């Protein structure tokens, strides 16, 4: 019978060892301490004999506890295990969802899980050979509980994910598709430059353009607020139980699917570099616009929203917060960046420039800043470095495209002259293109600030040295493009055989350029000296036109030593000469009228000014000539053949010039 007391002593020592293990756990782990306090608080007075020294501080001296009190403690732990096991097993055999039950039922289940975690964490020193296989039993039941929570996590996440408004988003993207120009009259597609393909600057969109809710409220919850606490309770228990891997796997899988679905709604596809390289421009332009909008939504809304979710749900572990956030969002970010990288190396063309600048600005002003905040760790540095590299490549694409555009303007060699001397399609296209460029002045100033390799050697800059000295590299680049255009127009003007029409063509085009610069930010960039020089050119073309077109006509209104005598042979000769002069004047004037009514000066003010200049030279000369020599011709037979027009007739006919008329009016004689 002596073995019984020995066995009792041995059992007592094991209980004391278990209690000492509990104390160590309390001292080293806050979570373990919380769990054990929760369990021990349920063991009431049966454990009080284990701690005689103080009501607050346990005393683990073996001599202070008796075999009976130790046995009571084990019974209490076992009873608690059995109670928790009963709850877990009940739900393990149920097809119902725990989180569709009442809050009391959910709290009871969580309390049972808490007991199991605490018992499992503190019972490892109890020996199974003594019949106290508490640790293994608690572990088995805890595994069932974790499986249940893992199963509950999936529907809980799916059911409480905030739905994305695909209809509103599609409306927003359609509004972004509105394209330049603002006035169809400003464009002519007869040139090889096709302005219809020119992208609209995103920054020039109307301020009332509708936005997706994620843009209007970046703090919008991605999961319903009322579900956050349940998800946090599940996550907290799975982490403490050692099931973080399973937790992360389920959570990340579901949230990654949500992100992918959002990208699909946004129209942001997973495209290879080869697909982007060979995509037709209009389709690629749509993809780029959707990418720009998509990046804003993802960066401002989704990523920051996912970060907040991870911080709220995995509040008990910063390590798991980072792991989940990176796992969920990394693929999405890389997909977006890969498209930007593919666009940066597509073949360059003028119509792509504005969309590429839009992408550059989004990466610079939003993506880089947000990535540094959202990914502060080592992996974040890698993602940030990737984005920074793409920004540089997009910047290089912008500079290269702008350089190529200037080269294209310089080399554009269409040989069909404008029949009415109107504004050339190339002029319209280039100047409207330049007006769009100034929308991006700040960005282009930064990009071209170090553009030291650019020179103006191919342009005659003697007249604009004063302007160039005060220009930034960006301003000199714009100056160069307009200078290429002016030089090209000079070449095209040589296609006209009529010198007068050549002047009208140059005057129209330079005046159009002048107005586009004067009435926009281009005027500030190029400066007052540049504007004065172009205004001077316009006046010079006008003077040259008057000389070329009207010198011959006016020569018939000069005296040329005509005698005013009317008797004898000399009088007859003089009258014949006068009649010849009047006849030649009429023929020359009618020819000018016939031809130049088909010419066109589109600007009303310029058209009126040049008509006044003609009238100031022709009308006084004609009036004086008719007044002096008209009586010598007017009294003869068929005098109306020679003096066909009154001064009022001439003024009326001059008013019809440069209207671009297709028909030739009748020249009826109207004498005052």
């Amino acid at each position: 019978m002596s073995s019984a007391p020995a066995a009792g002593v041995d059992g007592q020592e094991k209980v004391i060892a278990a209690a000492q293990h509990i104390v160590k756990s309390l001292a080293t782990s806050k979570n373990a301490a919380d769990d054990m306090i929760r369990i021990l608080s349920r063991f009431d007075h049966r454990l009080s004999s284990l701690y005689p020294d103080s009501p607050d501080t346990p005393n683990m001296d073996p001599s202070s506890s008796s075999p009976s009190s130790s046995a009571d403690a084990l019974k209490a732990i076992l009873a608690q295990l059995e109670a928790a096991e009963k709850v877990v097993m009940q739900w393990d055999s149920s097809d119902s969802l725990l989180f569709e039950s009442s809050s009391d039922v959910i709290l009871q289940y969580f309390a049972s899980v808490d007991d199991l975690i605490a018992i499992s964490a503190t019972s490892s020193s109890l020996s199974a050979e003594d019949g106290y296989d508490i640790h293994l039993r608690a572990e088995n039941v805890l595994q069932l509980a974790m499986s249940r929570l893992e199963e509950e996590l999936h529907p809980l996440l799916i059911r409480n994910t905030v739905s994305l408004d695909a209809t509103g988003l599609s409306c927003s993207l359609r509004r972004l598709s509105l394209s330049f120009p603002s006035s169809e009259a400003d464009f002519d597609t007869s040139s090889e430059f096709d302005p219809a393909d020119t992208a609209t600057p995103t920054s020039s969109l109307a301020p009332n353009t509708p936005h997706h809710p994620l843009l209007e409220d970046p703090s919008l919850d991605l999961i319903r607020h009322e579900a956050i606490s349940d998800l946090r309770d599940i996550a907290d228990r799975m982490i403490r139980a050692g099931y973080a891997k399973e937790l992360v796997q389920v959570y990340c899988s579901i949230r990654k699917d949500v992100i992918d679905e959002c990208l699909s709604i946004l129209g942001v596809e997973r495209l290879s570099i080869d697909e982007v390289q060979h995509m037709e421009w209009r389709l690629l332009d749509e993809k780029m616009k959707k990418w720009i909008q998509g990046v804003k939504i993802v960066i401002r809304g989704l990523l920051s929203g996912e970060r907040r979710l991870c911080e709220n749900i995995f509040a008990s572990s910063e390590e798991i917060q980072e792991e989940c956030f990176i796992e969920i969002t990394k693929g999405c970010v890389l997909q977006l960046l890969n498209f930007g990288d593919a666009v940066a190396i597509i073949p360059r063309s003028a119509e792509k420039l504005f969309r590429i600048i839009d992408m550059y600005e989004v990466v610079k002003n939003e993506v880089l800043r947000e990535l540094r905040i959202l990914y502060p760790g080592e992996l974040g540095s890698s993602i940030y470095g990737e984005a920074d590299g793409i920004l540089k490549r997009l910047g290089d694409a912008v500079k290269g495209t702008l350089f190529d555009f200037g080269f294209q303007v310089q080399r554009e060699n269409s040989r069909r002259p404008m029949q009415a001397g109107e504004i050339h399609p190339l002029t319209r296209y280039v100047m409207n293109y330049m007006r769009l460029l100034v929308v991006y002045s700040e960005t282009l100033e930064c990009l071209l600030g170090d553009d030291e390799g650019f020179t103006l050697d191919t342009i005659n800059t003697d007249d604009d040295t004063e302007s160039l000295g005060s220009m930034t590299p960006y301003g000199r680049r714009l100056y160069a493009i307009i200078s290429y255009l002016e030089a090209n127009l000079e070449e095209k003007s040589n296609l006209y055989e009529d010198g007068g029409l050549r002047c009208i063509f140059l005057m129209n085009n330079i005046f159009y350029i002048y107005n586009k610069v004067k009435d926009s930010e281009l005027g500030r960039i190029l400066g007052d000296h540049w504007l004065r020089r172009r205004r001077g050119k316009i006046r010079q073309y006008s003077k040259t036109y008057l000389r070329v077109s009207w010198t011959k006509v006016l020569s018939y209104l000069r005296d040329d030593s005509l005698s005013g005598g009317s008797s004898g042979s000399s009088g007859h000769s003089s009258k014949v000469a006068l009649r010849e002069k009047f006849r030649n004047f009429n023929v020359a004037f009618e020819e000018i009228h016939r031809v130049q009514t088909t010419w066109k000066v589109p600007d009303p003010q310029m058209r009126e000014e040049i008509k006044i200049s003609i009238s100031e030279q022709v009308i006084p000369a004609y009036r004086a000539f008719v007044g002096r020599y008209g009586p010598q011709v007017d009294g003869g037979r068929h005098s109306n053949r020679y003096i066909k027009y009154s001064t009022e007739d001439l003024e009326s006919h001059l008013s019809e010039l440069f209207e671009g008329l297709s028909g030739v009016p009748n020249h009826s004689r109207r004498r005052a």
Side-chain angles (χ1 to χ4, degrees), residues 33-105:
D34 292 341
D35 292 334
M36 284 311 301
I37 288 171
R38 188 182 299 110
I39 286 186
L40 294 176
S41 67
R42 301 177 188 177
F43 292 166
D44 54 55
H45 63 281
R46 289 172 290 181
L47 290 181
S48 61
S49 61
L50 292 176
Y51 311 109
D53 293 346
S54 169
D56 299 319
T57 307
N59 182 357
M60 289 303 168
D61 185 353
S63 63
S64 67
S65 57
S66 66
S68 60
S69 61
S70 299
D72 288 342
L74 290 175
K75 287 179 181 179
I77 294 174
L78 187 58
Q80 201 69 27
L81 173 58
E82 289 173 348
E85 183 178 39
K86 181 179 179 181
V87 173
V88 171
M89 296 302 294
Q90 177 184 350
W91 279 99
D92 188 60
S93 60
S94 174
D95 293 331
S96 301
L97 288 174
L98 172 64
F99 286 91
E100 291 181 350
S101 304
S102 67
S103 58
D104 290 340
V105 172

Side-chain angles (χ1 to χ4, degrees), residues 554-591:
L554 292 172
S555 70
Y556 298 124
L557 302 178
R558 290 197 292 266
D559 289 348
D560 288 339
S561 302
L562 287 172
S563 171
S566 58
S567 61
S569 60
S570 62
H572 177 73
S573 299
S574 177
K575 185 172 292 189
V576 170
L578 282 172
R579 289 174 178 175
E580 187 66 20
K581 277 184 174 291
F582 275 111
R583 183 186 299 111
N584 289 338
F585 172 84
N586 293 335
V587 170
F589 180 81
E590 288 167 3
E591 177 63 15

